[in-house]
Amino acid sequence: MDVSNKLSDSEGNIGADHSPNVLILLQLVSLACVLPCIVMKTPQILLLFRSKQTKGLSFSSILLEFYLYTIHLVYFFVFEYALMSYVEYAFLLVQDVVLIALYLVYEDMVDARVLIIASLYTFGSLSLAGGISPEWLVTFLYSLALPIAVSSKGLQLLAIFRAKDSSKVSLLTWLIGAATTAGRLITLSFDKADHLVMLGFSISFLLNTAVCCTIVYYKPSPKKFK
């Protein structure tokens, strides 16, 4: 049996092989993961919009995260995972587009190259999701998600360490990220997700938590503003 058939059989519905009570619980957990993600990046977007300053915010981290959301969305779609196990990535992707746009504007980085790169990226992503590209390429790109996730969150940690100031980084955004990742670990464990997926979510949860702790540690004291 090939990969796509295997995933289709075992993951077409979250917890389909379990009792109705377990199924309802898993659906509720899944819903609890999706709903916060609809506005997860909003606190960070508003913080950036109001301050118009990017200190302590890593652009490289945002770009790598944008790739992660894209490849997760493509991978789960191509291999026919249950919609509720990945639909939040669509919302996160849109919010990251807004965040990237604001960063580019405030850092005066908008030019023709940005539009060309964005167009090529969009075309490539749609090609992967539309079945134009082979499935082995989707799997290969997804296998890069783990080291990229580590790099993305590591860069954000490094940016805060260097600035020694986390006032422009939203704690709420990262807390939601940690909580939803933990919820996804629960639903995907019942959904018989492959080991690569589970490992990625486990490490993401730990790193999200590490970023939250770092934000709290480097949050400016009110005394500094007196």
Side-chain angles (χ1 to χ4, degrees):
M1 181 181 291
D2 62 81
V3 176
S4 60
N5 287 336
K6 181 179 179 181
L7 290 175
S8 179
D9 291 342
S10 63
E11 297 169 46
N13 296 289
I14 296 178
D17 296 332
H18 300 281
S19 68
N21 289 338
V22 172
L23 179 57
I24 292 173
L25 179 60
L26 290 175
Q27 292 288 358
L28 289 175
V29 172
S30 189
L31 186 62
C33 291
V34 173
L35 292 179
C37 288
I38 296 176
V39 295
M40 189 177 97
K41 297 287 183 175
T42 302
Q44 183 63 73
I45 291 171
L46 292 176
L47 188 59
L48 183 57
F49 179 75
R50 289 167 181 167
S51 68
K52 294 178 173 54
Q53 296 179 6
T54 62
K55 183 180 180 182
L57 195 61
S58 171
F59 188 55
S60 297
S61 174
I62 297 172
L63 291 178
L64 290 175
E65 186 179 62
F66 184 72
Y67 168 80
L68 289 173
Y69 293 153
T70 304
I71 195 58
H72 272 85
L73 194 61
V74 169
Y75 182 86
F76 283 93
F77 175 77
V78 169
F79 291 117
E80 300 179 357
Y81 275 72
L83 179 62
M84 284 297 290
S85 68
Y86 68 90
V87 69
E88 66 263 31
Y89 290 110
F91 299 112
L92 292 171
L93 207 57
V94 172
Q95 292 170 78
D96 253 4
V97 168
V98 176
L99 195 55
I100 290 171
L102 288 175
Y103 193 104
L104 290 172
V105 169
Y106 296 145
E107 290 295 316
D108 195 23
M109 296 167 62
V110 180
D111 55 30
R113 291 175 301 174
V114 171
L115 298 177
I116 294 173
I117 293 172
S119 299
L120 291 174
Y121 186 88
T122 302
F123 175 77
S125 300
L126 292 176
S127 297
L128 290 170
I132 298 176
S133 303
E135 290 184 354
W136 66 262
L137 180 59
V138 176
T139 301
F140 171 72
L141 292 174
Y142 187 79
S143 71
L144 301 177
L146 181 55
I148 289 177
V150 173
S151 300
S152 170
K153 299 176 196 309
L155 286 169
Q156 183 55 71
L157 284 168
L158 185 60
I160 297 174
F161 283 140
R162 286 176 173 172
K164 299 189 185 307
D165 181 358
S166 64
S167 60
K168 302 302 182 294
V169 185
S170 171
L171 176 60
L172 180 58
T173 291
W174 286 94
L175 283 173
I176 294 173
T180 54
T181 303
R184 275 290 164 237
L185 280 171
I186 296 172
T187 60
L188 288 172
S189 63
F190 281 91
D191 205 22
K192 300 178 182 178
D194 58 69
H195 296 305
L196 182 62
V197 172
M198 295 299 294
L199 179 62
F201 274 93
S202 298
I203 293 178
S204 290
F205 169 71
L206 293 175
L207 291 174
N208 281 337
T209 303
V211 174
C212 289
C213 294
T214 306
I215 291 173
V216 172
Y217 183 80
Y218 282 104
K219 193 169 185 64
S221 168
K223 294 181 180 179
K224 293 182 181 180
F225 299 102
K226 291 182 179 180

